[in-house]
Amino acid sequence: MKKRRLVMRTAILVILFAAVAYTLYANFNKENVHKVQIGKEAPDFVLVDMDGKEHQLSDYKGQGVFLNFWGTWCKPCEKEMPFINNQYEQFKNQGVQTIAVNISESNLAVNKFIERHGMTFPVVIDKNEDVKAAYGIGPLPATFLINPEGEVVKYHTGTLTEPMVKDFMTQIKP
């Protein structure tokens, strides 16, 4: 009986040690997760918006692209959407496009969110999380600024304020 208890305790300790080691490793290497580098070309992708229209990033060359990754469950994402929408309306005719990439949620949930917040910019869903993986997205919201040449000029994670969104869109305006 004592030997069995010792084996169980040892197994539990080994599992706990492995979990702690993995957590430490993941935290120390989280800066290396982002596959997209500033100054390099943004990975191309094709995703379909809520109206069934395809959006291919490379089609936007010559324009700045404000690329925002988000989720309907994400409170910081919800907070910044009105700011993004307001600035989209200001910059859409000045060569700055906005694409909001939802991470693998249902069309129903995304459409309800769009209606509730009156979003007018293109919203696409990354159903298989391929684009999320290509961009090395961790916590949401995450925003990439892509210049008219197709290069990533900035990466920001966390909630955006309206002045930040305006500044970011000004930075990528042709």
Side-chain angles (χ1 to χ4, degrees):
M1 188 72 159
K2 285 187 178 184
K3 191 172 191 177
R4 190 169 142 196
R5 200 175 324 144
L6 178 64
V7 168
M8 289 298 286
R9 288 179 179 167
T10 303
I12 290 169
L13 283 173
V14 166
I15 291 169
L16 284 173
F17 177 76
V20 169
Y22 173 77
T23 302
L24 289 172
Y25 171 78
N27 281 331
F28 285 122
N29 290 311
K30 68 182 175 185
E31 295 301 318
N32 299 330
V33 169
H34 303 292
K35 296 177 182 172
V36 176
Q37 295 180 343
I38 305 299
K40 301 288 182 182
E41 188 166 342
D44 198 15
F45 62 83
V46 178
L47 292 173
V48 179
D49 70 16
M50 305 313 294
D51 297 324
K53 181 183 174 199
E54 283 190 352
H55 292 267
Q56 183 164 1
L57 184 63
S58 58
D59 289 345
Y60 293 96
K61 277 213 173 151
Q63 302 176 68
V65 177
F66 184 92
L67 184 64
N68 180 264
F69 291 84
W70 66 284
T72 61
W73 49 266
C74 167
K75 290 299 176 192
C77 301
E78 188 169 8
K79 184 178 179 184
E80 71 184 13
M81 282 303 168
F83 307 144
I84 295 170
N85 199 66
N86 290 344
Q87 294 307 313
Y88 166 73
E89 291 297 329
Q90 299 298 315
F91 282 88
K92 69 181 181 183
N93 295 323
Q94 298 179 43
V96 176
Q97 296 302 315
T98 298
I99 303 174
V101 180
N102 175 273
I103 307 298
S104 69
E105 292 187 78
S106 73
N107 285 24
L108 179 64
V110 173
N111 274 324
K112 282 185 175 183
F113 188 93
I114 291 169
E115 286 175 27
R116 189 169 59 244
H117 296 284
M119 296 159 55
T120 57
F121 49 84
V123 175
V124 297
I125 301 177
D126 185 13
K127 297 273 187 196
N128 300 320
E129 299 189 16
D130 295 332
V131 178
K132 177 185 175 193
Y135 279 78
I137 301 299
L140 298 178
T143 303
F144 289 86
L145 302 183
I146 302 167
N147 68 17
E149 291 75 41
E151 300 166 341
V152 175
V153 294
K154 188 171 189 73
Y155 169 73
H156 178 84
T157 186
T159 311
L160 297 169
T161 63
E162 190 148 8
M164 289 170 73
V165 174
K166 183 176 184 176
D167 178 53
F168 287 176
M169 289 190 179
T170 301
Q171 289 180 40
I172 56 174
K173 186 175 145 184

